[in-house]
Amino acid sequence: MLSKNHLAQAVDELFKENVEGMTETDYAEHPNAWLRYGFDEGPVFVADASRYKTVTLSKYADQDDTDAVAEASFNIDWERLLTLWRWLSAGEIDRIRAAFPRCGW
């Protein structure tokens, strides 16, 4: 599991856009960050967050798939994204499913 501090730093860099040396062009070219959790022969869950404060939750049948079997997008704030990424890094799929029932996980 990733530490809360590492995840919080990633959310800060995504939402606050204050990384030294980054320009608006850099942010436009790299507008998102994601976290994956999955298994070799099983489902893979992805939370892909955008600098525009949206997140797309996707589920793939396995790590080789390119098309999601379930996908939904949500508006999200800093604290909610941090919580979501913490749950995902810990494999707490049931908590995510309960908090985001439209995700289809």
Side-chain angles (χ1 to χ4, degrees):
M1 183 168 87
L2 298 170
S3 78
K4 183 176 180 178
N5 288 340
H6 284 113
L7 292 171
Q9 181 181 359
V11 175
D12 278 345
E13 289 178 7
L14 183 63
F15 282 0
K16 295 182 181 175
E17 300 182 352
N18 59 358
V19 178
E20 187 175 326
M22 291 283 284
T23 65
E24 179 57 35
T25 302
D26 295 331
Y27 287 116
E29 186 175 341
H30 303 285
N32 61 327
W34 60 91
L35 187 64
R36 296 171 55 101
Y37 177 85
F39 308 92
D40 290 341
E41 299 299 325
V44 175
F45 303 92
V46 180
D48 185 345
S50 156
R51 70 190 275 217
Y52 305 109
K53 297 184 174 63
T54 60
V55 65
T56 300
L57 300 179
S58 305
K59 177 182 177 182
Y60 298 86
D62 65 46
Q63 64 183 346
D64 296 325
D65 282 357
T66 56
D67 295 321
V69 295
E71 192 166 79
S73 295
F74 305 87
N75 292 326
I76 199 160
D77 63 20
W78 189 97
E79 187 64 41
R80 191 84 168 139
L81 178 57
L82 178 59
T83 299
L84 171 62
W85 276 356
R86 287 180 60 214
W87 289 346
L88 187 57
S89 73
E92 296 183 25
I93 303 306
D94 288 338
R95 288 182 87 172
I96 296 168
R97 191 178 291 126
F100 298 91
R102 270 194 317 113
C103 73
W105 290 9

